[in-house]
Amino acid sequence: MLSLVLPKGSSLEQRTLDLFATAGLEIRRAAARAQRATIDYGGPIRVVFCKPREIPAVVASGAFDVGLTGADWIEESEAKVDTLASFAFAKTSDAPWRLVLAVPTDHPATDVRDLPDGTRVATEYVNIGRRFFEEAGLHADIVRSYGATEAKIPELADAVIDVVETGDSLRHNGLRVLRTVRTCTSQVIAGPHTLADPSKRERVHNVVRLLRAAAAGTRRTMITVRVPEQSLHTVTPLMPAGSWRAGTDLAEAGVVVLQGLAPHTELLQTTDALLAAGALDITESDIRKTVPAPHTAC
């Protein structure tokens, strides 16, 4: 049986559940707080929920075949795993989150090199913190934090390395960003033992293909464009890449129907350009996912 470990009790949990649901990979568990579940896809997949920081190590050890966690915890754990896919989503946005070095708002430093040797830095990311200061050529006293890192200043630390998505928590605690240490994404990982097994490797790649398709679908809108035949030469070049001819209008002779997938970030500009080029009208439709053929998967 294929085994999968997913993040619990963190900003990644709900977004991960949403991604799997959009991909059609229904996670079935007895209750919302249940720590075990199953997915029925190509046979049963055993699912367990763990803290994101634990996931790289348990995948690398062979306890689980595949997992999803943050790039920050993969780097921090130094686990030997393979990254199969990366998704840029956080708790409240479809963008990567950051690990930042932050100091009190009234701190005189304007750059990391302004910090004196021996600066106490509280963080859950001890290994990342040590490497960061070594690369900067500075000596810092790294203080391990077990949560509520912002509260360690001023009694236990002079600065922090912590996760930032919107920056509100730092501002509410009187801190400001001095330097971005890492930009992080959610990543699907597998251990060497999994990829060495042909049957498991194929199943994992199938799951990843569906997740990628679901993530891509949330960033695009299907547009259906009705075009007079005489305007095809001006409208067609403006359609999104990979568009197709859907047919002819059943009710109106001389009208051709085109379809394509437009990125959300370009939708307004694409709509304006198509109408200006002669399109009669444009219908927008939400899509869940577009699944590529297996040979284009990871």
Side-chain angles (χ1 to χ4, degrees):
M1 181 183 295
L2 194 69
S3 58
L4 170 67
V5 57
L6 298 178
K8 73 168 184 179
S10 74
S11 59
L12 291 183
E13 181 174 357
Q14 189 56 53
R15 295 302 302 272
T16 299
L17 294 176
D18 292 344
L19 176 64
F20 273 75
T22 301
L25 298 167
E26 181 184 358
I27 297 175
R28 299 174 179 171
R29 49 181 173 174
R33 289 178 172 267
Q35 303 305 314
R36 293 183 176 273
T38 59
I39 296 173
D40 186 11
Y41 174 58
I45 300 174
R46 177 169 57 92
V47 181
V48 174
F49 292 84
C50 290
K51 290 290 187 181
R53 72 183 67 195
E54 300 174 305
I55 292 176
V58 297
V59 170
S61 72
F64 293 92
D65 296 310
V66 64
L68 187 149
T69 188
D72 44 1
W73 290 118
I74 299 171
E75 180 179 352
E76 174 65 20
S77 69
E78 300 178 336
K80 303 302 181 184
V81 294
D82 293 292
T83 297
L84 305 182
S86 181
F87 302 105
F89 63 76
K91 182 177 182 179
T92 61
S93 69
D94 292 319
W97 65 93
R98 295 181 296 153
L99 274 184
V100 301
L101 172 66
V103 295
T105 303
D106 59 359
H107 197 288
T110 59
D111 184 78
V112 61
R113 289 180 174 81
D114 295 332
L115 297 177
D117 280 345
T119 293
R120 301 171 301 164
V121 181
T123 184
E124 295 180 72
Y125 301 92
V126 173
N127 292 329
I128 292 176
R130 285 175 180 153
R131 284 193 293 269
F132 172 74
F133 280 100
E134 287 173 1
E135 292 167 5
L138 298 173
H139 170 70
D141 181 11
I142 306 296
V143 179
R144 185 180 294 276
S145 173
Y146 293 93
T149 302
E150 301 98 325
K152 303 299 191 295
I153 294 177
E155 291 84 2
L156 302 176
D158 308 304
V160 300
I161 291 178
D162 205 3
V163 170
V164 166
E165 186 176 340
T166 65
D168 287 345
S169 181
L170 289 182
R171 287 189 291 271
H172 292 160
N173 286 279
L175 303 177
R176 61 179 172 84
V177 175
L178 192 62
R179 174 82 68 86
T180 295
V181 177
R182 296 287 187 275
T183 299
C184 305
T185 58
S186 305
Q187 297 189 351
V188 178
I189 58 174
H193 58 283
T194 301
L195 300 181
D197 182 327
S199 62
K200 285 188 174 182
R201 182 172 65 246
E202 181 180 6
R203 293 186 68 191
V204 169
H205 284 182
N206 288 340
V207 168
V208 170
R209 187 171 69 251
L210 291 177
L211 294 176
R212 282 178 168 165
T218 62
R219 298 193 297 269
R220 297 184 293 180
T221 295
M222 178 181 285
I223 56 174
T224 301
V225 186
R226 295 195 314 130
V227 187
E229 287 184 341
Q230 63 268 27
S231 298
L232 274 175
H233 68 288
T234 56
V235 171
T236 301
L238 301 175
M239 290 290 292
S243 294
W244 59 93
R245 180 167 173 161
T248 55
D249 194 295
L250 296 178
E252 193 169 349
V255 174
V256 177
V257 180
L258 305 178
Q259 288 184 318
L261 302 177
H264 290 173
T265 55
E266 302 173 9
L267 186 56
L268 294 179
Q269 297 91 325
T270 299
T271 298
D272 289 344
L274 291 171
L275 293 173
L280 295 174
D281 53 50
I282 300 171
T283 301
E284 299 177 6
S285 306
D286 292 334
I287 61 172
R288 286 174 62 87
K289 60 180 181 290
T290 301
V291 183
H295 66 274
T296 63
C298 60

